[in-house]
Amino acid sequence: MNSELRQEPNATSTFPDVPNAGYNGSDGDECDARSIPSRDEICDEESSQSDDDAGEAHEDFEMSLTELMYGASSYHAIAKPVSLTMILAASAAVFINTEESLFMGEKQLAEAYQVWKVDDDGGENGTGITLARSFGNAAVMVSVLCAMTFLIVILYTYRFMKCLIGYMVFTSASLLGLMGSVMLDIAIEKYLIPIDIITYYFGLWNFAAVGTVAIFWQLGVPSFVTQGYLVATSVILAWHLSHFDAWTAWTLLVMLALYDLCAVLTPCGPLKALVNAMQEEDAPEMPGLLYEAQLDDGHARTRDTGSASSNRNGVRSSSDNIRENTFVPSDSPAAGTPPSEN
């Protein structure tokens, strides 16, 4: 009994929960003391933790506000050229046309693009058959457009840049020079504009040459000149497409709208694949494929900039401005309508 009683103090003294256990009761040696934090220290730790949480919440709020301002400025930068293109295209279709030009343009487009003949007034076939034929013709044109867009994606992915740039330069020069001359001829004829043959061809040649250089070379050319020529190509092509008959025009508009949604939003869309390919780390520059809208420095997205000339998140940065790729110009097979947001 006495031995068991003598062992009890040693057993109880080894518990770590004893607050004032500074010495061992058996031999008097000093042991490791465990101090309990005071109330002031606990309050300091809680206040510092709350300050950290508040700082993180403030940073998240600032990032959200920055992203909101970036989105608003991006929308504003995109809406201006799109609205301008739509207004100019509609005005050109109304004011740069005559009865003869409308008839001849509709006839030429019908011969070039329509697989099934469509009567503008329904004809003997009835409304249902006319509508079906119109959708069939629109589906064929959109299918060709989709195939050409995939061809551009393949050429860009496998770096056939000489073929791609050569094709883009040829189509841009042809659209500005040849198709633009048709539009200019009708305007001169309708409004009786006095002009001699030398001035006509000299001005047309300079318009096409300067436009091609501004779109694809861009060195020493102000950005607003390049943007103006990209809008002009969209207006010229939209003017030519306005010569379709009413049935084909409306069905083509619906099919192109559906195609644009699929091409941009679906994972296998060609325009989405093209934009992703252009945002890769070692992707080469390809001017003329995408319209570049300018953003102010204050509304730039704060991310890793990489190099001074390009950061591959869809935003190109420079010392003066930041440009965002928005839509494909209409001189490319990747677009069949006036420019719209991708």
Side-chain angles (χ1 to χ4, degrees):
M1 290 292 293
N2 294 332
S3 62
E4 292 178 358
L5 292 175
R6 284 194 300 268
Q7 291 176 356
E8 288 179 358
N10 293 334
T12 57
S13 63
T14 58
F15 288 120
D17 296 334
V18 180
N20 296 323
Y23 296 93
N24 192 337
S26 60
D27 52 3
D29 294 336
E30 184 178 0
C31 69
D32 294 336
R34 299 188 176 218
S35 62
I36 297 177
S38 63
R39 181 177 299 176
D40 294 337
E41 293 176 350
I42 295 175
C43 293
D44 292 339
E45 292 179 358
E46 291 179 352
S47 62
S48 62
Q49 184 176 1
S50 62
D51 292 339
D52 294 338
D53 294 339
E56 293 178 358
H58 182 67
E59 291 178 358
D60 293 339
F61 176 76
E62 288 183 349
M63 292 179 63
S64 301
L65 184 60
T66 302
E67 291 293 329
L68 179 62
M69 295 299 298
Y70 175 83
S73 60
S74 298
Y75 175 78
H76 184 259
I78 293 169
K80 289 191 296 184
V82 171
S83 301
L84 179 63
T85 303
M86 295 175 65
I87 294 173
L88 292 179
S91 301
V94 173
F95 296 108
I96 309 179
N97 264 319
T98 61
E99 294 294 335
E100 183 181 359
S101 66
L102 288 173
F103 176 78
M104 293 300 298
E106 181 178 338
K107 182 179 178 180
Q108 292 174 358
L109 290 179
E111 293 176 354
Y113 293 100
Q114 287 186 359
V115 180
W116 297 278
K117 184 179 180 181
V118 176
D119 295 329
D120 195 9
D121 55 353
E124 300 176 355
N125 298 321
T127 304
I129 296 178
T130 302
L131 182 62
R133 289 182 176 180
S134 300
F135 271 110
N137 292 329
V140 171
M141 287 184 277
V142 171
S143 299
V144 174
L145 179 67
C146 181
M148 294 298 294
T149 308
F150 273 112
L151 179 61
I152 290 178
V153 174
I154 293 173
L155 291 176
Y156 187 85
T157 302
Y158 291 98
R159 303 297 187 262
F160 291 99
M161 300 306 299
K162 292 183 178 180
C163 296
L164 184 56
I165 294 177
Y167 169 73
M168 295 294 297
V169 170
F170 174 76
T171 55
S172 296
S174 300
L175 190 145
L176 293 173
L178 299 178
M179 299 178 71
S181 66
V182 177
M183 189 175 176
L184 181 60
D185 287 340
I186 296 176
I188 292 174
E189 180 183 354
K190 181 176 181 179
Y191 296 102
L192 302 177
I193 301 174
I195 186 172
D196 60 274
I197 191 68
I198 298 177
T199 304
Y200 173 82
Y201 283 108
F202 181 78
L204 192 61
W205 163 259
N206 279 275
F207 177 74
V210 173
T212 304
V213 172
I215 293 173
F216 294 97
W217 185 251
Q218 297 183 354
L219 294 180
V221 180
S223 60
F224 69 89
V225 176
T226 302
Q227 293 172 348
Y229 270 103
L230 290 175
V231 171
T233 56
S234 300
V235 172
I236 294 173
L237 183 59
W239 180 84
H240 281 271
L241 293 178
S242 67
H243 291 84
F244 276 115
D245 61 275
W247 288 93
T248 304
W250 283 106
T251 52
L252 181 61
L253 180 63
V254 173
M255 294 295 292
L256 284 175
L258 296 176
Y259 165 75
D260 285 339
L261 291 176
C262 295
V264 175
L265 300 180
T266 57
C268 59
L271 293 182
K272 183 178 180 62
L274 181 61
V275 173
N276 291 336
M278 295 185 69
Q279 292 177 358
E280 292 179 356
E281 189 69 25
D282 57 344
E285 296 292 334
M286 185 59 209
L289 273 180
L290 297 177
Y291 183 95
E292 295 176 346
Q294 292 184 351
L295 297 180
D296 297 333
D297 290 335
H299 295 153
R301 179 177 294 177
T302 56
R303 294 178 185 260
D304 294 336
T305 56
S307 62
S309 61
S310 175
N311 57 359
R312 300 296 179 181
N313 59 0
V315 179
R316 302 178 186 274
S317 60
S318 63
S319 59
D320 298 328
N321 54 58
I322 291 190
R323 302 176 291 174
E324 183 179 358
N325 300 325
T326 57
F327 54 77
V328 181
S330 60
D331 63 319
S332 168
T337 57
S340 59
E341 169 56 1
N342 55 61

